[in-house]
mmCIF file of all heavy atoms in Angstrom:
data_model
loop_
_atom_site.group_PDB
_atom_site.id
_atom_site.type_symbol
_atom_site.label_atom_id
_atom_site.label_comp_id
_atom_site.label_asym_id
_atom_site.label_seq_id
_atom_site.Cartn_x
_atom_site.Cartn_y
_atom_site.Cartn_z
ATOM 1 N N ALA I 205 11.458 -2.186 -3.017
ATOM 2 C CA ALA I 205 10.351 -2.633 -3.950
ATOM 3 C C ALA I 205 9.202 -1.586 -3.834
ATOM 4 O O ALA I 205 8.828 -1.186 -2.730
ATOM 5 C CB ALA I 205 9.857 -4.057 -3.467
ATOM 6 N N ILE I 206 8.711 -1.225 -4.943
ATOM 7 C CA ILE I 206 7.665 -0.207 -4.971
ATOM 8 C C ILE I 206 6.406 -0.892 -5.582
ATOM 9 O O ILE I 206 6.398 -1.316 -6.690
ATOM 10 C CB ILE I 206 7.997 0.987 -5.943
ATOM 11 C CG1 ILE I 206 9.234 1.671 -5.388
ATOM 12 C CG2 ILE I 206 6.916 2.004 -6.062
ATOM 13 C CD1 ILE I 206 9.895 2.726 -6.199
ATOM 14 N N LYS I 207 5.380 -0.977 -4.786
ATOM 15 C CA LYS I 207 4.089 -1.613 -5.142
ATOM 16 C C LYS I 207 3.121 -0.552 -5.525
ATOM 17 O O LYS I 207 2.640 0.164 -4.560
ATOM 18 C CB LYS I 207 3.668 -2.497 -4.082
ATOM 19 C CG LYS I 207 2.378 -3.283 -4.449
ATOM 20 C CD LYS I 207 2.050 -4.352 -3.410
ATOM 21 C CE LYS I 207 0.929 -5.283 -3.794
ATOM 22 N NZ LYS I 207 0.675 -6.271 -2.721
ATOM 23 N N ARG I 208 2.755 -0.388 -6.697
ATOM 24 C CA ARG I 208 1.821 0.686 -7.241
ATOM 25 C C ARG I 208 0.519 0.124 -7.592
ATOM 26 O O ARG I 208 0.428 -0.827 -8.341
ATOM 27 C CB ARG I 208 2.434 1.490 -8.345
ATOM 28 C CG ARG I 208 1.508 2.550 -8.859
ATOM 29 C CD ARG I 208 2.098 3.404 -9.992
ATOM 30 N NE ARG I 208 1.144 4.470 -10.480
ATOM 31 C CZ ARG I 208 1.387 5.232 -11.483
ATOM 32 N NH1 ARG I 208 2.583 5.229 -11.941
ATOM 33 N NH2 ARG I 208 0.473 6.141 -11.780
ATOM 34 N N LEU I 209 -0.579 0.785 -7.025
ATOM 35 C CA LEU I 209 -1.891 0.443 -7.310
ATOM 36 C C LEU I 209 -2.172 0.674 -8.758
ATOM 37 O O LEU I 209 -1.781 1.744 -9.263
ATOM 38 C CB LEU I 209 -2.867 1.153 -6.437
ATOM 39 C CG LEU I 209 -4.396 0.785 -6.542
ATOM 40 C CD1 LEU I 209 -4.690 -0.492 -6.066
ATOM 41 C CD2 LEU I 209 -5.263 1.870 -5.802
ATOM 42 N N HIS I 210 -2.841 -0.168 -9.548
ATOM 43 C CA HIS I 210 -3.175 0.036 -10.904
ATOM 44 C C HIS I 210 -3.915 1.400 -11.058
ATOM 45 O O HIS I 210 -4.928 1.629 -10.333
ATOM 46 C CB HIS I 210 -3.922 -1.003 -11.531
ATOM 47 C CG HIS I 210 -3.238 -2.372 -11.646
ATOM 48 N ND1 HIS I 210 -1.924 -2.455 -12.080
ATOM 49 C CD2 HIS I 210 -3.648 -3.655 -11.412
ATOM 50 C CE1 HIS I 210 -1.450 -3.702 -12.135
ATOM 51 N NE2 HIS I 210 -2.568 -4.510 -11.703
ATOM 52 N N PRO I 211 -3.519 2.235 -11.983
ATOM 53 C CA PRO I 211 -4.140 3.544 -12.108
ATOM 54 C C PRO I 211 -5.723 3.384 -12.315
ATOM 55 O O PRO I 211 -6.413 4.374 -11.701
ATOM 56 C CB PRO I 211 -3.559 4.144 -13.455
ATOM 57 C CG PRO I 211 -2.213 3.497 -13.414
ATOM 58 C CD PRO I 211 -2.434 2.039 -12.973
ATOM 59 N N HIS I 212 -6.241 2.427 -12.986
ATOM 60 C CA HIS I 212 -7.622 2.306 -13.205
ATOM 61 C C HIS I 212 -8.444 1.981 -11.911
ATOM 62 O O HIS I 212 -9.671 2.008 -11.877
ATOM 63 C CB HIS I 212 -7.974 1.317 -14.390
ATOM 64 C CG HIS I 212 -7.671 -0.100 -13.895
ATOM 65 N ND1 HIS I 212 -6.346 -0.609 -14.093
ATOM 66 C CD2 HIS I 212 -8.460 -1.110 -13.461
ATOM 67 C CE1 HIS I 212 -6.482 -1.929 -13.799
ATOM 68 N NE2 HIS I 212 -7.738 -2.157 -13.332
ATOM 69 N N LEU I 213 -7.702 1.542 -10.881
ATOM 70 C CA LEU I 213 -8.301 1.199 -9.573
ATOM 71 C C LEU I 213 -8.252 2.413 -8.572
ATOM 72 O O LEU I 213 -8.872 2.235 -7.494
ATOM 73 C CB LEU I 213 -7.668 -0.008 -8.933
ATOM 74 C CG LEU I 213 -7.740 -1.344 -9.786
ATOM 75 C CD1 LEU I 213 -7.024 -2.388 -9.046
ATOM 76 C CD2 LEU I 213 -9.161 -1.710 -10.020
ATOM 77 N N GLU I 214 -7.611 3.462 -8.960
ATOM 78 C CA GLU I 214 -7.367 4.472 -7.897
ATOM 79 C C GLU I 214 -8.711 5.234 -7.611
ATOM 80 O O GLU I 214 -8.696 6.018 -6.572
ATOM 81 C CB GLU I 214 -6.366 5.458 -8.470
ATOM 82 C CG GLU I 214 -4.888 4.912 -8.412
ATOM 83 C CD GLU I 214 -3.902 5.858 -9.042
ATOM 84 O OE1 GLU I 214 -4.210 7.026 -9.294
ATOM 85 O OE2 GLU I 214 -2.736 5.378 -9.109
ATOM 86 N N GLY I 215 -9.745 5.160 -8.437
ATOM 87 C CA GLY I 215 -10.976 5.659 -8.159
ATOM 88 C C GLY I 215 -11.935 4.796 -7.498
ATOM 89 O O GLY I 215 -13.102 5.196 -7.118
ATOM 90 N N GLU I 216 -11.453 3.564 -7.212
ATOM 91 C CA GLU I 216 -12.306 2.559 -6.545
ATOM 92 C C GLU I 216 -12.060 2.529 -5.043
ATOM 93 O O GLU I 216 -10.916 2.075 -4.632
ATOM 94 C CB GLU I 216 -12.026 1.191 -7.149
ATOM 95 C CG GLU I 216 -12.358 1.063 -8.676
ATOM 96 C CD GLU I 216 -13.819 1.131 -8.981
ATOM 97 O OE1 GLU I 216 -14.666 0.779 -8.103
ATOM 98 O OE2 GLU I 216 -14.172 1.461 -10.152
ATOM 99 N N GLU I 217 -12.973 2.969 -4.278
ATOM 100 C CA GLU I 217 -12.741 3.172 -2.836
ATOM 101 C C GLU I 217 -12.304 1.839 -2.162
ATOM 102 O O GLU I 217 -11.445 1.767 -1.247
ATOM 103 C CB GLU I 217 -14.059 3.740 -2.164
ATOM 104 C CG GLU I 217 -13.879 3.966 -0.637
ATOM 105 C CD GLU I 217 -15.068 4.614 -0.022
ATOM 106 O OE1 GLU I 217 -15.965 5.004 -0.865
ATOM 107 O OE2 GLU I 217 -15.174 4.648 1.167
ATOM 108 N N ASP I 218 -13.026 0.698 -2.536
ATOM 109 C CA ASP I 218 -12.641 -0.489 -1.831
ATOM 110 C C ASP I 218 -11.215 -0.967 -2.113
ATOM 111 O O ASP I 218 -10.557 -1.402 -1.215
ATOM 112 C CB ASP I 218 -13.624 -1.664 -2.373
ATOM 113 C CG ASP I 218 -15.000 -1.648 -1.739
ATOM 114 O OD1 ASP I 218 -15.202 -0.758 -0.870
ATOM 115 O OD2 ASP I 218 -15.879 -2.391 -2.120
ATOM 116 N N PHE I 219 -10.767 -0.770 -3.349
ATOM 117 C CA PHE I 219 -9.439 -1.158 -3.610
ATOM 118 C C PHE I 219 -8.365 -0.314 -2.972
ATOM 119 O O PHE I 219 -7.308 -0.733 -2.518
ATOM 120 C CB PHE I 219 -9.182 -1.187 -5.190
ATOM 121 C CG PHE I 219 -9.818 -2.342 -5.854
ATOM 122 C CD1 PHE I 219 -11.024 -2.307 -6.493
ATOM 123 C CD2 PHE I 219 -9.156 -3.646 -5.884
ATOM 124 C CE1 PHE I 219 -11.583 -3.283 -7.185
ATOM 125 C CE2 PHE I 219 -9.771 -4.660 -6.448
ATOM 126 C CZ PHE I 219 -10.896 -4.542 -7.122
ATOM 127 N N VAL I 220 -8.705 1.040 -2.932
ATOM 128 C CA VAL I 220 -7.742 2.003 -2.294
ATOM 129 C C VAL I 220 -7.662 1.670 -0.767
ATOM 130 O O VAL I 220 -6.650 1.604 -0.188
ATOM 131 C CB VAL I 220 -8.274 3.376 -2.538
ATOM 132 C CG1 VAL I 220 -7.358 4.417 -1.626
ATOM 133 C CG2 VAL I 220 -8.057 3.838 -3.970
ATOM 134 N N SER I 221 -8.756 1.366 -0.137
ATOM 135 C CA SER I 221 -8.825 0.978 1.246
ATOM 136 C C SER I 221 -8.057 -0.290 1.510
ATOM 137 O O SER I 221 -7.270 -0.397 2.515
ATOM 138 C CB SER I 221 -10.266 0.864 1.819
ATOM 139 O OG SER I 221 -10.926 2.098 1.641
ATOM 140 N N MET I 222 -8.198 -1.310 0.632
ATOM 141 C CA MET I 222 -7.553 -2.639 0.777
ATOM 142 C C MET I 222 -5.986 -2.296 0.704
ATOM 143 O O MET I 222 -5.276 -2.895 1.431
ATOM 144 C CB MET I 222 -7.952 -3.555 -0.246
ATOM 145 C CG MET I 222 -7.645 -4.942 -0.021
ATOM 146 S SD MET I 222 -8.131 -6.081 -1.368
ATOM 147 C CE MET I 222 -9.903 -5.787 -1.184
ATOM 148 N N PHE I 223 -5.650 -1.509 -0.232
ATOM 149 C CA PHE I 223 -4.260 -1.237 -0.514
ATOM 150 C C PHE I 223 -3.607 -0.443 0.760
ATOM 151 O O PHE I 223 -2.555 -0.799 1.234
ATOM 152 C CB PHE I 223 -4.089 -0.289 -1.675
ATOM 153 C CG PHE I 223 -2.735 -0.238 -2.297
ATOM 154 C CD1 PHE I 223 -2.187 -1.352 -2.992
ATOM 155 C CD2 PHE I 223 -2.028 0.949 -2.275
ATOM 156 C CE1 PHE I 223 -1.037 -1.254 -3.627
ATOM 157 C CE2 PHE I 223 -0.719 1.065 -2.918
ATOM 158 C CZ PHE I 223 -0.259 -0.094 -3.511
ATOM 159 N N LEU I 224 -4.352 0.425 1.302
ATOM 160 C CA LEU I 224 -3.838 1.170 2.490
ATOM 161 C C LEU I 224 -3.886 0.186 3.773
ATOM 162 O O LEU I 224 -3.033 0.451 4.560
ATOM 163 C CB LEU I 224 -4.781 2.387 2.754
ATOM 164 C CG LEU I 224 -4.639 3.464 1.680
ATOM 165 C CD1 LEU I 224 -5.666 4.644 1.968
ATOM 166 C CD2 LEU I 224 -3.211 4.113 1.662
ATOM 167 N N ASP I 225 -4.804 -0.715 3.788
ATOM 168 C CA ASP I 225 -4.836 -1.617 4.830
ATOM 169 C C ASP I 225 -3.564 -2.392 4.846
ATOM 170 O O ASP I 225 -2.879 -2.701 5.836
ATOM 171 C CB ASP I 225 -6.038 -2.620 4.682
ATOM 172 C CG ASP I 225 -7.339 -2.074 5.157
ATOM 173 O OD1 ASP I 225 -7.286 -1.135 6.077
ATOM 174 O OD2 ASP I 225 -8.335 -2.617 4.788
ATOM 175 N N GLU I 226 -3.147 -2.868 3.679
ATOM 176 C CA GLU I 226 -1.985 -3.737 3.595
ATOM 177 C C GLU I 226 -0.766 -2.900 4.069
ATOM 178 O O GLU I 226 0.134 -3.491 4.879
ATOM 179 C CB GLU I 226 -1.660 -4.089 2.047
ATOM 180 C CG GLU I 226 -0.304 -4.803 1.915
ATOM 181 C CD GLU I 226 -0.006 -5.255 0.538
ATOM 182 O OE1 GLU I 226 -0.874 -4.962 -0.386
ATOM 183 O OE2 GLU I 226 0.956 -5.917 0.312
ATOM 184 N N ALA I 227 -0.687 -1.677 3.690
ATOM 185 C CA ALA I 227 0.468 -0.800 4.265
ATOM 186 C C ALA I 227 0.461 -0.648 5.681
ATOM 187 O O ALA I 227 1.492 -0.826 6.358
ATOM 188 C CB ALA I 227 0.398 0.600 3.543
ATOM 189 N N ARG I 228 -0.738 -0.439 6.243
ATOM 190 C CA ARG I 228 -0.853 -0.206 7.735
ATOM 191 C C ARG I 228 -0.460 -1.395 8.459
ATOM 192 O O ARG I 228 0.215 -1.385 9.525
ATOM 193 C CB ARG I 228 -2.269 0.381 8.039
ATOM 194 C CG ARG I 228 -2.383 0.735 9.510
ATOM 195 C CD ARG I 228 -3.719 1.263 9.707
ATOM 196 N NE ARG I 228 -4.776 0.282 9.518
ATOM 197 C CZ ARG I 228 -6.110 0.553 9.818
ATOM 198 N NH1 ARG I 228 -6.432 1.733 10.262
ATOM 199 N NH2 ARG I 228 -7.020 -0.336 9.524
ATOM 200 N N LEU I 229 -0.998 -2.587 8.040
ATOM 201 C CA LEU I 229 -0.790 -3.810 8.714
ATOM 202 C C LEU I 229 0.638 -4.225 8.649
ATOM 203 O O LEU I 229 1.201 -4.643 9.717
ATOM 204 C CB LEU I 229 -1.704 -4.933 8.227
ATOM 205 C CG LEU I 229 -3.278 -4.634 8.548
ATOM 206 C CD1 LEU I 229 -4.052 -5.742 7.732
ATOM 207 C CD2 LEU I 229 -3.494 -4.840 9.999
ATOM 208 N N ALA I 230 1.261 -4.298 7.480
ATOM 209 C CA ALA I 230 2.555 -4.629 7.298
ATOM 210 C C ALA I 230 3.586 -3.749 8.098
ATOM 211 O O ALA I 230 4.577 -4.266 8.529
ATOM 212 C CB ALA I 230 2.943 -4.772 5.781
ATOM 213 N N ALA I 231 3.268 -2.448 8.154
ATOM 214 C CA ALA I 231 4.119 -1.497 8.913
ATOM 215 C C ALA I 231 4.101 -1.846 10.359
ATOM 216 O O ALA I 231 5.124 -1.537 11.071
ATOM 217 C CB ALA I 231 3.716 -0.127 8.640
ATOM 218 N N ARG I 232 3.128 -2.447 10.903
ATOM 219 C CA ARG I 232 3.023 -2.778 12.358
ATOM 220 C C ARG I 232 3.801 -3.978 12.697
ATOM 221 O O ARG I 232 4.270 -4.082 13.817
ATOM 222 C CB ARG I 232 1.521 -2.916 12.751
ATOM 223 C CG ARG I 232 0.743 -1.689 12.987
ATOM 224 C CD ARG I 232 -0.651 -2.045 13.448
ATOM 225 N NE ARG I 232 -1.437 -0.878 13.829
ATOM 226 C CZ ARG I 232 -1.316 -0.301 15.039
ATOM 227 N NH1 ARG I 232 -0.646 -0.916 15.941
ATOM 228 N NH2 ARG I 232 -2.033 0.789 15.312
ATOM 229 N N ILE I 233 3.998 -4.799 11.799
ATOM 230 C CA ILE I 233 4.617 -6.108 12.058
ATOM 231 C C ILE I 233 6.129 -5.804 11.990
ATOM 232 O O ILE I 233 6.723 -5.699 10.875
ATOM 233 C CB ILE I 233 4.208 -7.202 11.047
ATOM 234 C CG1 ILE I 233 2.655 -7.391 11.034
ATOM 235 C CG2 ILE I 233 4.892 -8.555 11.428
ATOM 236 C CD1 ILE I 233 2.222 -8.269 9.887
ATOM 237 N N ARG I 234 6.877 -5.926 13.165
ATOM 238 C CA ARG I 234 8.285 -5.781 13.137
ATOM 239 C C ARG I 234 8.953 -7.068 13.411
ATOM 240 O O ARG I 234 9.089 -7.459 14.674
ATOM 241 C CB ARG I 234 8.708 -4.690 14.129
ATOM 242 C CG ARG I 234 8.092 -3.393 13.806
ATOM 243 C CD ARG I 234 8.441 -2.260 14.892
ATOM 244 N NE ARG I 234 7.829 -1.030 14.633
ATOM 245 C CZ ARG I 234 6.615 -0.591 14.909
ATOM 246 N NH1 ARG I 234 5.841 -1.473 15.682
ATOM 247 N NH2 ARG I 234 6.123 0.585 14.580
ATOM 248 N N HIS I 235 9.220 -7.840 12.460
ATOM 249 C CA HIS I 235 9.791 -9.109 12.668
ATOM 250 C C HIS I 235 10.645 -9.477 11.414
ATOM 251 O O HIS I 235 10.312 -9.185 10.264
ATOM 252 C CB HIS I 235 8.607 -10.223 12.724
ATOM 253 C CG HIS I 235 9.100 -11.562 13.189
ATOM 254 N ND1 HIS I 235 9.576 -12.498 12.382
ATOM 255 C CD2 HIS I 235 9.147 -12.087 14.465
ATOM 256 C CE1 HIS I 235 9.981 -13.538 13.114
ATOM 257 N NE2 HIS I 235 9.689 -13.301 14.370
ATOM 258 N N PRO I 236 11.833 -10.141 11.664
ATOM 259 C CA PRO I 236 12.694 -10.345 10.517
ATOM 260 C C PRO I 236 12.201 -11.364 9.487
ATOM 261 O O PRO I 236 12.729 -11.460 8.351
ATOM 262 C CB PRO I 236 13.955 -11.075 11.218
ATOM 263 C CG PRO I 236 13.443 -11.477 12.554
ATOM 264 C CD PRO I 236 12.323 -10.480 12.957
ATOM 265 N N ASN I 237 11.109 -12.000 9.779
ATOM 266 C CA ASN I 237 10.514 -13.042 8.791
ATOM 267 C C ASN I 237 9.180 -12.440 8.136
ATOM 268 O O ASN I 237 8.392 -13.293 7.642
ATOM 269 C CB ASN I 237 10.256 -14.345 9.480
ATOM 270 C CG ASN I 237 11.494 -15.039 9.928
ATOM 271 O OD1 ASN I 237 11.563 -15.267 11.106
ATOM 272 N ND2 ASN I 237 12.485 -15.206 9.091
ATOM 273 N N CYS I 238 9.104 -11.171 8.171
ATOM 274 C CA CYS I 238 8.003 -10.473 7.463
ATOM 275 C C CYS I 238 8.562 -9.312 6.690
ATOM 276 O O CYS I 238 9.404 -8.525 7.161
ATOM 277 C CB CYS I 238 6.906 -9.960 8.367
ATOM 278 S SG CYS I 238 5.964 -11.193 9.238
ATOM 279 N N VAL I 239 8.148 -9.061 5.450
ATOM 280 C CA VAL I 239 8.545 -7.914 4.745
ATOM 281 C C VAL I 239 7.882 -6.743 5.198
ATOM 282 O O VAL I 239 6.620 -6.579 5.118
ATOM 283 C CB VAL I 239 8.225 -8.244 3.136
ATOM 284 C CG1 VAL I 239 8.644 -6.948 2.389
ATOM 285 C CG2 VAL I 239 8.921 -9.423 2.647
ATOM 286 N N PRO I 240 8.648 -5.712 5.623
ATOM 287 C CA PRO I 240 8.072 -4.419 6.177
ATOM 288 C C PRO I 240 7.653 -3.509 5.139
ATOM 289 O O PRO I 240 8.298 -3.397 3.947
ATOM 290 C CB PRO I 240 9.116 -3.922 7.074
ATOM 291 C CG PRO I 240 10.382 -4.386 6.382
ATOM 292 C CD PRO I 240 10.120 -5.670 5.744
ATOM 293 N N THR I 241 6.683 -2.604 5.348
ATOM 294 C CA THR I 241 6.388 -1.450 4.523
ATOM 295 C C THR I 241 7.127 -0.198 5.142
ATOM 296 O O THR I 241 7.035 0.038 6.282
ATOM 297 C CB THR I 241 4.829 -1.214 4.503
ATOM 298 O OG1 THR I 241 4.185 -2.259 3.980
ATOM 299 C CG2 THR I 241 4.455 0.084 3.622
ATOM 300 N N LEU I 242 7.846 0.452 4.286
ATOM 301 C CA LEU I 242 8.762 1.512 4.657
ATOM 302 C C LEU I 242 7.959 2.879 4.539
ATOM 303 O O LEU I 242 8.223 3.816 5.321
ATOM 304 C CB LEU I 242 9.996 1.518 3.902
ATOM 305 C CG LEU I 242 10.803 0.153 3.964
ATOM 306 C CD1 LEU I 242 11.964 0.308 3.000
ATOM 307 C CD2 LEU I 242 11.152 -0.172 5.281
ATOM 308 N N ASP I 243 7.026 2.963 3.596
ATOM 309 C CA ASP I 243 6.460 4.312 3.303
ATOM 310 C C ASP I 243 5.249 4.118 2.434
ATOM 311 O O ASP I 243 5.125 3.060 1.714
ATOM 312 C CB ASP I 243 7.491 5.214 2.660
ATOM 313 C CG ASP I 243 7.153 6.726 2.789
ATOM 314 O OD1 ASP I 243 6.128 7.016 3.454
ATOM 315 O OD2 ASP I 243 7.843 7.606 2.330
ATOM 316 N N VAL I 244 4.364 5.094 2.423
ATOM 317 C CA VAL I 244 3.218 5.158 1.522
ATOM 318 C C VAL I 244 3.290 6.589 0.909
ATOM 319 O O VAL I 244 3.450 7.538 1.530
ATOM 320 C CB VAL I 244 1.879 5.038 2.276
ATOM 321 C CG1 VAL I 244 0.798 5.059 1.290
ATOM 322 C CG2 VAL I 244 1.814 3.669 3.055
ATOM 323 N N GLU I 245 3.124 6.526 -0.371
ATOM 324 C CA GLU I 245 3.178 7.797 -1.256
ATOM 325 C C GLU I 245 1.969 7.897 -2.149
ATOM 326 O O GLU I 245 1.467 6.904 -2.580
ATOM 327 C CB GLU I 245 4.455 7.950 -2.055
ATOM 328 C CG GLU I 245 5.746 7.980 -1.214
ATOM 329 C CD GLU I 245 5.912 9.470 -0.622
ATOM 330 O OE1 GLU I 245 5.134 10.354 -0.912
ATOM 331 O OE2 GLU I 245 6.790 9.582 0.232
ATOM 332 N N ASP I 246 1.599 9.128 -2.261
ATOM 333 C CA ASP I 246 0.474 9.395 -3.324
ATOM 334 C C ASP I 246 0.786 10.479 -4.270
ATOM 335 O O ASP I 246 0.204 11.599 -4.260
ATOM 336 C CB ASP I 246 -0.798 9.756 -2.568
ATOM 337 C CG ASP I 246 -2.076 9.691 -3.370
ATOM 338 O OD1 ASP I 246 -1.926 9.282 -4.487
ATOM 339 O OD2 ASP I 246 -3.121 10.212 -2.902
ATOM 340 N N GLN I 247 1.876 10.268 -4.953
ATOM 341 C CA GLN I 247 2.403 11.207 -5.981
ATOM 342 C C GLN I 247 2.426 10.475 -7.283
ATOM 343 O O GLN I 247 3.119 9.504 -7.429
ATOM 344 C CB GLN I 247 3.857 11.684 -5.538
ATOM 345 C CG GLN I 247 3.897 12.336 -4.205
ATOM 346 C CD GLN I 247 5.301 12.725 -3.882
ATOM 347 O OE1 GLN I 247 6.168 12.853 -4.669
ATOM 348 N NE2 GLN I 247 5.579 12.984 -2.560
ATOM 349 N N GLU I 248 1.673 10.987 -8.264
ATOM 350 C CA GLU I 248 1.582 10.345 -9.506
ATOM 351 C C GLU I 248 1.195 8.909 -9.399
ATOM 352 O O GLU I 248 1.653 8.017 -10.084
ATOM 353 C CB GLU I 248 2.900 10.558 -10.282
ATOM 354 C CG GLU I 248 3.435 11.941 -10.598
ATOM 355 C CD GLU I 248 4.701 11.897 -11.356
ATOM 356 O OE1 GLU I 248 5.152 10.956 -11.854
ATOM 357 O OE2 GLU I 248 5.322 12.992 -11.355
ATOM 358 N N GLY I 249 0.255 8.694 -8.467
ATOM 359 C CA GLY I 249 -0.238 7.380 -8.333
ATOM 360 C C GLY I 249 -0.066 6.930 -6.808
ATOM 361 O O GLY I 249 0.867 7.526 -6.122
ATOM 362 N N LEU I 250 -0.833 6.032 -6.429
ATOM 363 C CA LEU I 250 -0.740 5.521 -4.943
ATOM 364 C C LEU I 250 0.160 4.328 -4.904
ATOM 365 O O LEU I 250 0.006 3.352 -5.637
ATOM 366 C CB LEU I 250 -2.107 5.117 -4.469
ATOM 367 C CG LEU I 250 -2.235 4.697 -3.027
ATOM 368 C CD1 LEU I 250 -1.746 5.739 -2.059
ATOM 369 C CD2 LEU I 250 -3.676 4.229 -2.699
ATOM 370 N N TYR I 251 1.249 4.335 -4.063
ATOM 371 C CA TYR I 251 2.158 3.262 -4.007
ATOM 372 C C TYR I 251 2.792 3.112 -2.689
ATOM 373 O O TYR I 251 2.863 3.968 -1.794
ATOM 374 C CB TYR I 251 3.270 3.332 -5.067
ATOM 375 C CG TYR I 251 4.109 4.612 -4.962
ATOM 376 C CD1 TYR I 251 5.228 4.557 -4.184
ATOM 377 C CD2 TYR I 251 3.805 5.792 -5.662
ATOM 378 C CE1 TYR I 251 6.028 5.762 -4.113
ATOM 379 C CE2 TYR I 251 4.674 6.918 -5.603
ATOM 380 C CZ TYR I 251 5.797 6.938 -4.798
ATOM 381 O OH TYR I 251 6.501 8.004 -4.771
ATOM 382 N N LEU I 252 3.178 1.826 -2.400
ATOM 383 C CA LEU I 252 3.811 1.447 -1.127
ATOM 384 C C LEU I 252 5.321 1.202 -1.413
ATOM 385 O O LEU I 252 5.740 0.727 -2.544
ATOM 386 C CB LEU I 252 3.315 0.069 -0.567
ATOM 387 C CG LEU I 252 1.815 -0.086 -0.489
ATOM 388 C CD1 LEU I 252 1.589 -1.458 0.077
ATOM 389 C CD2 LEU I 252 1.038 1.001 0.272
#
């Protein structure tokens, strides 16, 4: 699953930080009952 931040929000610091927070927190949780984040990319848009 690829979750991409809306392009019009990529210049909004609060939204970008919130998006990265989600990636960092979800990547830390290693449990079969939580959906893990596998990677973060910033190519042609910011996405998890």
